[in-house]
Amino acid sequence: MPGTALLETPRHIPPPPTKANLDFADLAIIDLAKFGTPEGKAELVKDICNAMNTTGFFYVINHGYSQEQTRRMFDIAELPFTISEEEKQKYVAKIQESGSFQGYKPRQFWHVDAGVRDQIEHYNFHTDVTLKEHPEALRPFLPEIDGFMRHNYFNILLPLFRLLALGLELPEETFVEKSTLASPLSDTYFRFMKYYPRSSEDEEKTKNVWLKGHTDNGALTLLWSQPVSALQIRTTDGEWKWVKHIDNALVVNAGDTLEFLSGGFYKATIHRVHQPPPDQRNLTRLGVFYFSLFDDDVKLLPLVQSPVLQRVGITRRMDDELAPTAGVYRKARISSYGLTSPKEGKDKGVEEEEIAGVVIRHYN
């Protein structure tokens, strides 16, 4: 923000990327600089369609934020984790009661495996930052946080939604119209998240898995890339591959509701969080996320008017007459995640449970 005096914050010093020889996933790179021309947009439609109906993950570059602006937001992201436990308790999210993450999620809230609970803490904002009161340390920074969220929405999410609609040969605004910014119709949230190292006993009990393999419940997840390697995606062959850090890029993946609306054409890919490699093992892992959700009243039915779906066919995860709204599905997924006891599924290492009429799988 040239010409603007910025408030002082703790300085987040990102560690160097791992030197470990990891098996990284080969993900497409979507260059939003191409979005401004018809030729560039047509190229991006092909690239994003290929990424989303194969891996379900891709990188975004040239999104309009400088490296320094991104670093500034990671500085601000440290703030919710510096306040006292007593003050945090005032802003704990009513996750189980409301099916919403707005506020703090404390550590050890979720069960991971074998009696081990998580070491993940996060603070979540609604895209209307005025809807709820926030910790005092964050209040002076709300204008910057709001500006960053709006940048995610207008300059990254909406172009991606338009490309995805064109990929289905639908009007450009098809998905845009289903995702309203700063509206009570949507529970879209912005998150600062910190993973803390675990004990060797917990690592052994969980086979080094910090979050089991899962799909996200929303539309698109925007993760601002950071250098501590831990995110892995599951390939169609059942292998786990690491996601590589790219400076000032975003890692984007589809969630369940986009898969439902696209009739399975865009895949909600299974991913998990694993203990970092040895040279990053004792580090905390700071994350900045934008979780886009469709508005609560959107019925999660395939967009059967798509010429693409009419040609390739539709894959349904539930009968049309049982399809929930995005709000019902979101509340059911969030209120149950890490708090229920899924049963062993048909495949080894896969647990299953039915939520809002949909079979949800957890992979270990």
Side-chain angles (χ1 to χ4, degrees), residues 197-336:
R198 305 188 311 180
S199 69
S200 56
E201 293 81 7
D202 283 358
E203 294 294 354
E204 183 177 355
K205 287 179 182 177
T206 62
K207 304 182 181 72
N208 308 109
V209 173
W210 288 10
L211 276 183
K212 288 181 183 178
H214 64 282
T215 55
D216 290 343
N217 72 79
L220 284 178
T221 299
L222 312 181
L223 160 64
W224 287 79
S225 188
Q226 55 74 48
V228 179
S229 293
L231 178 61
Q232 296 179 331
I233 65 173
R234 189 173 186 267
T235 68
T236 53
D237 298 327
E239 297 180 350
W240 293 100
K241 290 185 179 288
W242 299 79
V243 175
K244 190 173 185 176
H245 169 59
I246 296 180
D247 275 342
N248 204 34
L250 291 95
V251 180
V252 179
N253 64 278
D256 286 343
T257 57
L258 182 62
E259 180 175 316
F260 298 156
L261 265 62
S262 70
F265 189 69
Y266 297 137
K267 310 294 185 190
T269 296
I270 300 148
H271 55 286
R272 71 180 183 185
V273 181
H274 191 279
Q275 183 187 32
D279 60 347
Q280 297 182 323
R281 196 144 288 177
N282 296 316
L283 301 173
T284 57
R285 179 174 180 258
L286 183 66
V288 174
F289 298 78
Y290 185 100
F291 289 91
S292 72
L293 309 179
F294 290 125
D295 293 347
D296 279 354
D297 59 355
V298 172
K299 195 82 167 171
L300 298 178
L301 290 167
L303 297 167
V304 294
Q305 67 272 33
S306 162
V308 172
L309 297 187
Q310 291 169 13
R311 291 195 299 270
V312 304
I314 292 171
T315 301
R316 288 175 167 85
R317 297 256 307 269
M318 82 289 278
D319 293 334
D320 284 0
E321 60 270 20
L322 300 177
T325 62
V328 167
Y329 186 70
R330 179 258 304 171
K331 291 174 184 176
R333 282 289 308 272
I334 290 176
S335 64
S336 63

